[in-house]
Amino acid sequence: MKKFNVTVNGKSYAVEVEEVGAGQGGFTYAPVQPSPAVQAPVAAPQISPAVATPAPKAAPAPSGPVSGELLTAPMPGTILDIKVTEGQPVKAGDIVLILEAMKMENEIVSPKDGVVNKIHTSKSTTVSTGDPLVTIG
């Protein structure tokens, strides 16, 4: 046995440590190899209706066919401001709307020159990744 003084958070402790090794009883270290376990499929947890959180408001679905390039939400968040109107011409890089995600304001810009054909969302709407925002033709 070896004795040591150890100080933890300003308080001293006297400890005795037993040395284990090849010199005492022929101890050898052999790492334990875990056997591969078969995992059963994990079922999704059931949420009782009393504790379920309310679903966020989804963006309205596009109504009717609209031609042009559909700009979708790159991440979940809330629409803070819409900077364009339907029929307004835009250039590539123009700010179309502001999306707040994780307390950050993200500028969503036009990917190309064109005209705003349809706005599929509104201010203060909560959107999910991939929800339609604006169609630019």
Side-chain angles (χ1 to χ4, degrees):
M1 289 279 222
K2 291 189 177 186
K3 293 184 179 183
F4 295 94
N5 288 326
V6 179
T7 304
V8 178
N9 293 332
K11 189 171 182 182
S12 293
Y13 298 93
V15 294
E16 292 183 2
V17 179
E18 180 180 354
E19 184 177 353
V20 179
Q24 296 181 348
F27 175 79
T28 58
Y29 172 76
V32 177
Q33 298 294 327
S35 61
V38 177
Q39 288 186 335
V42 179
Q46 297 293 330
I47 299 175
S48 66
V51 233
T53 57
K57 290 190 315 184
S63 57
V66 179
S67 64
E69 185 172 341
L70 180 62
L71 197 59
T72 59
M75 64 192 84
T78 304
I79 305 298
L80 288 183
D81 195 14
I82 299 174
K83 300 286 192 181
V84 295
T85 58
E86 289 184 10
Q88 177 180 340
V90 292
K91 294 193 182 291
D94 285 353
I95 299 171
V96 176
L97 53 88
I98 307 292
L99 173 69
E100 179 188 36
M102 297 183 294
K103 307 226 183 234
M104 297 277 298
E105 293 184 10
N106 300 284
E107 296 175 341
I108 308 300
V109 297
S110 174
K112 66 177 192 172
D113 292 351
V115 175
V116 177
N117 289 343
K118 179 79 174 159
I119 298 175
H120 302 282
T121 190
S122 60
K123 201 171 181 179
S124 301
T125 300
T126 301
V127 295
S128 297
T129 303
D131 283 354
L133 300 174
V134 176
T135 302
I136 297 175

